[in-house]
Amino acid sequence: MGPIRYIGAFTLNKLKRLGRMFFFLFEAFLYSIIPPIKLGLWVRQIRFIGAESLSVILLTGTFSGMVLGFQGYYSLSRFGSEAFLGPAVGLSLIKEIGPVISALMVTGRAGSAITAEIGIMRISEQIDAIELMGLNPFRYLVVPRLLAALVSVPLLTSIFDVVGILGGYLIGVKLLGVGSGTYFGEMANYVDLKDVTEGLLKSISFAVIIVWVSCFKGYYTGIYTGFGAEGVSKATTQAVVMASVLILLWDYVMTSLLFS
Amino acid sequence: MIKIEDIHKSFGRTKVLNGVSLEVKQGELVALVGGSGSGKSVLLKHIAGLLRPDSGFIYINGTEITGLNKRQLELVRKEFGFLFQGGALFDSLTLFENVAFPLTEKLRLPKEEVTQRVLHYLDLVGLSGSEEKYPSQVSGGMIKRAALARSLITEPKIMLFDEPTTGLDPQMSLSILNLIRSVHDRLNLTGIIVTHAIPSVFKFTNRILMIYEGRIYFDGSPEEFKRSEEPIIRRFLGEEVLD
Ligand SMILES: Nc1ncnc2c1ncn2[C@@H]1O[C@H](COP(=O)(O)OP(=O)(O)O)[C@@H](O)[C@H]1O
Ligand SMILES: [Mg+2]
């Protein structure tokens, strides 16, 4: 009986946790569409998740584009098709690199802070205090962050794409000698609206993943990780790892779905 | 009225409440004492519906609350004021905003009325002049007092105070106990105060409850408590005197 019972309990436990996690997401969406929305908190979170991530995105976007410029030129010149550097850089950035790296950067910068902040509110009983006033903690903690990320992450991603394309231009055109007209002309020929939409859909879903995971881990700090400062730091680590893994997995799922 | 019937609660393998029963009548102010870790905070959180017992029943003004869902609980909680042991002030808000929070968010009172009431309550707890400070900028005792103001400002019918005087100097704890007493008398509220302020609390309540090994071990007047020959109570009082 021993091991079977153990496996049973383990499985049930995991399922319960998974169920709780999906219910959390459901509630987050539910209260995002039922007013009142706390506009002040929303704006504050756009500033935190969006505006304050800008420098990181500018930096990583430029360098990613520059690397793509080198690598793309190197691969394409083997087939004598350096002329297609523009579309190669543009498509990789818009469809793949832009959404994924932006989301990972936001996870590291804002996701971890979200978990820590909500986790501290949990262990210092601030969340219980909101509940005891007869108010809904989701409206104060989760909804403003979800709505802010849905605005900020796609915008950050587009900025990443733009500076990335300019980084590729810097390397391909200024350093390696591809024609400026060729770089942008071919890019305009080969990048469709469909590609842009694909990147946008990805970044929207990544925004949901980031907020979902980091808020959930913060909200349930203590229940899964133990109380105290150690509980918060564990929850934060778990949130960053889990959100990053989910982003990459979901990226695969979306790519394969959109491919067919 | 608060009535508790035989509640049990374990966290993992630790049994914290092991058959607690008690009744506090409308308008009564009782003190709950007990060693640290004896389950006083856990008991208060059960009464407020923040924790659910493993078994047993809790009645608030006749309504059994352990089976209620969130929405039904909200109705019962309207009656509650709760002071958390650590204060539980919102870090991102000033003391003023913290105390105003239940008025602006829940009761949606007009701005002038909020300001007037908040300033009045901050004055009552001796915090005039610190309105614009953040919790991280003030002492633990000030956080406690601001939290007390926040929990009293809605003029609740049932008040649960988790250690309102811990961390305050003797004079301040006396004035806080006085404040609780006067608010109690004015609103005729039902209240439970968890406190270590022995013996000063003896003057402020006429009923002491002591929790020990997960049960209500003593229930009686301060005089009976002081005179008790029970070794466990003697030891508890001795500890407190040494403090
Ligand atoms: N949410 C919780 N999870 C696990 N254990 C808890 C929880 N809350 C309290 N406990 C444990 O219950 C016991 C009683 O705690 P508490 O009611 O805070 O004591 P006190 O009488 O000092 O207020 C302690 O051993 C504490 O560790
Ligand atoms: Mg306690």
Side-chain angles (χ1 to χ4, degrees):
Chain A
M1 268 319 276
I4 292 174
R5 214 166 138 169
Y6 176 78
I7 292 169
F10 182 82
T11 315
L12 278 179
N13 214 357
K14 289 278 174 211
L15 280 177
K16 207 163 117 188
R17 205 184 277 201
L18 204 65
R20 189 178 253 167
M21 215 174 144
F22 277 102
F23 189 67
F24 190 91
L25 182 63
F26 168 76
E27 280 198 294
F29 279 125
L30 185 70
Y31 296 118
S32 297
I33 54 174
I34 304 175
I37 305 293
K38 304 283 164 194
L39 289 178
L41 293 176
W42 180 50
V43 172
R44 204 151 123 179
Q45 290 300 330
I46 290 181
R47 179 182 155 165
F48 177 68
I49 299 174
E52 290 177 16
S53 300
L54 200 55
S55 48
V56 177
I57 292 296
L58 289 174
L59 196 69
T60 51
T62 311
F63 279 100
S64 304
M66 285 162 69
V67 168
L68 283 175
F70 272 122
Q71 298 286 16
Y73 185 88
Y74 178 73
S75 312
L76 290 168
S77 64
R78 289 185 160 187
F79 318 108
S81 32
E82 309 89 282
F84 296 114
L85 183 64
V89 170
L91 284 175
S92 332
L93 276 170
I94 290 169
K95 289 166 69 112
E96 200 57 55
I97 312 258
V100 171
I101 297 191
S102 306
L104 293 178
M105 288 298 138
V106 173
T107 302
R109 222 210 104 258
S112 57
I114 290 173
T115 308
E117 208 176 319
I118 297 181
I120 287 170
M121 292 188 73
R122 164 62 72 197
I123 63 168
S124 61
E125 302 175 318
Q126 293 173 48
I127 298 181
D128 292 326
I130 298 177
E131 249 179 62
L132 268 182
M133 291 174 194
L135 299 166
N136 183 339
F138 270 67
R139 292 201 187 282
Y140 295 88
L141 306 178
V142 185
V143 171
R145 290 181 167 93
L146 181 60
L147 297 180
L150 284 173
V151 172
S152 307
V153 176
L155 280 175
L156 289 170
T157 302
S158 359
I159 293 168
F160 187 102
D161 293 348
V162 169
V163 295
I165 287 168
L166 292 178
Y169 173 86
L170 213 62
I171 298 302
V173 177
K174 294 288 175 198
L175 191 68
L176 301 172
V178 177
S180 169
T182 319
Y183 184 81
F184 285 117
E186 295 296 341
M187 195 184 293
N189 281 341
Y190 284 97
V191 179
D192 286 336
L193 182 61
K194 185 174 114 333
D195 302 314
V196 178
T197 317
E198 184 179 328
L200 188 68
L201 284 178
K202 280 186 176 178
S203 69
I204 290 174
S205 55
F206 295 159
V208 173
I209 292 176
I210 295 167
V211 174
W212 175 29
V213 173
S214 49
C215 286
F216 178 82
K217 286 288 176 183
Y219 203 83
Y220 286 104
T221 295
I223 294 184
Y224 300 136
T225 52
F227 283 92
E230 200 188 337
V232 176
S233 79
K234 264 192 207 160
T236 307
T237 310
Q238 285 176 5
V240 170
V241 172
M242 188 170 183
S244 308
V245 169
L246 276 181
I247 285 167
L248 293 173
L249 288 181
W250 185 245
D251 183 46
Y252 173 77
V253 172
M254 279 195 81
T255 307
S256 61
L257 285 178
L258 293 164
F259 196 76
S260 54
Chain B
M1 190 210 64
I2 303 166
K3 187 172 171 198
I4 295 178
E5 277 179 14
D6 195 31
I7 59 171
H8 291 252
K9 178 73 179 180
S10 303
F11 294 106
R13 272 184 222 98
T14 347
K15 184 127 203 174
V16 179
L17 301 181
N18 190 15
V20 170
S21 299
L22 62 90
E23 193 173 337
V24 180
K25 294 204 176 58
Q26 164 63 37
E28 210 179 358
L29 185 63
V30 307
L32 177 64
V33 301
S36 123
S38 56
K40 304 182 293 295
S41 299
V42 168
L43 180 57
L44 283 201
K45 285 182 189 171
H46 276 86
I47 299 172
L50 287 173
L51 290 172
R52 276 175 206 266
D54 300 333
S55 65
F57 301 100
I58 299 168
Y59 301 87
I60 305 295
N61 296 332
T63 311
E64 207 288 313
I65 63 160
T66 63
L68 298 185
N69 65 30
K70 263 191 189 163
R71 185 141 322 143
Q72 296 165 319
L73 257 181
E74 255 182 43
L75 291 176
V76 181
R77 280 175 175 165
K78 269 199 200 138
E79 318 269 315
F80 278 118
F82 196 103
L83 173 67
F84 286 91
Q85 191 169 347
L89 291 186
F90 304 122
D91 299 321
S92 54
L93 304 181
T94 62
L95 297 191
F96 182 95
E97 291 165 334
N98 262 289
V99 177
F101 196 83
L103 300 183
T104 51
E105 296 294 313
K106 188 65 193 173
L107 305 181
R108 295 166 188 279
L109 298 181
K111 211 170 168 203
E112 305 79 58
E113 196 183 337
V114 170
T115 309
Q116 198 191 334
R117 259 166 88 170
V118 171
L119 292 178
H120 174 66
Y121 272 87
L122 281 173
D123 186 39
L124 281 182
V125 296
L127 284 176
S128 292
S130 303
E131 295 89 358
E132 298 311 317
K133 297 216 170 90
Y134 285 88
S136 58
Q137 300 169 320
V138 303
S139 72
M142 288 166 85
I143 288 179
K144 239 352 174 343
R145 286 183 276 147
L148 181 66
R150 183 178 70 180
S151 58
L152 289 174
I153 200 163
T154 50
E155 311 210 318
K157 303 260 180 0
I158 297 175
M159 192 65 225
L160 305 169
F161 306 92
D162 200 346
E163 307 203 5
T165 57
T166 309
L168 304 183
D169 60 63
Q171 198 184 343
M172 187 52 80
S173 19
L174 216 61
S175 78
I176 289 301
L177 286 173
N178 268 322
L179 171 66
I180 291 174
R181 180 85 235 176
S182 74
V183 173
H184 166 265
D185 293 349
R186 183 160 61 84
L187 303 174
N188 189 31
L189 55 76
T190 309
I192 301 181
I193 311 182
V194 171
T195 184
H196 291 293
I198 290 170
S200 34
V201 75
F202 292 160
K203 290 200 282 291
F204 292 89
T205 62
N206 35 35
R207 187 169 161 209
I208 304 272
L209 296 169
M210 179 175 160
I211 185 167
Y212 179 76
E213 291 192 333
R215 289 169 209 263
I216 299 298
Y217 185 79
F218 175 90
D219 181 352
S221 71
E223 288 68 37
E224 291 172 292
F225 192 64
K226 274 183 277 187
R227 281 201 309 267
S228 168
E229 296 296 327
E230 290 281 350
I232 285 159
I233 294 175
R234 299 282 5 135
R235 203 176 315 139
F236 176 74
L237 281 173
E239 267 176 27
E240 296 298 328
V241 171
L242 282 182
D243 274 348

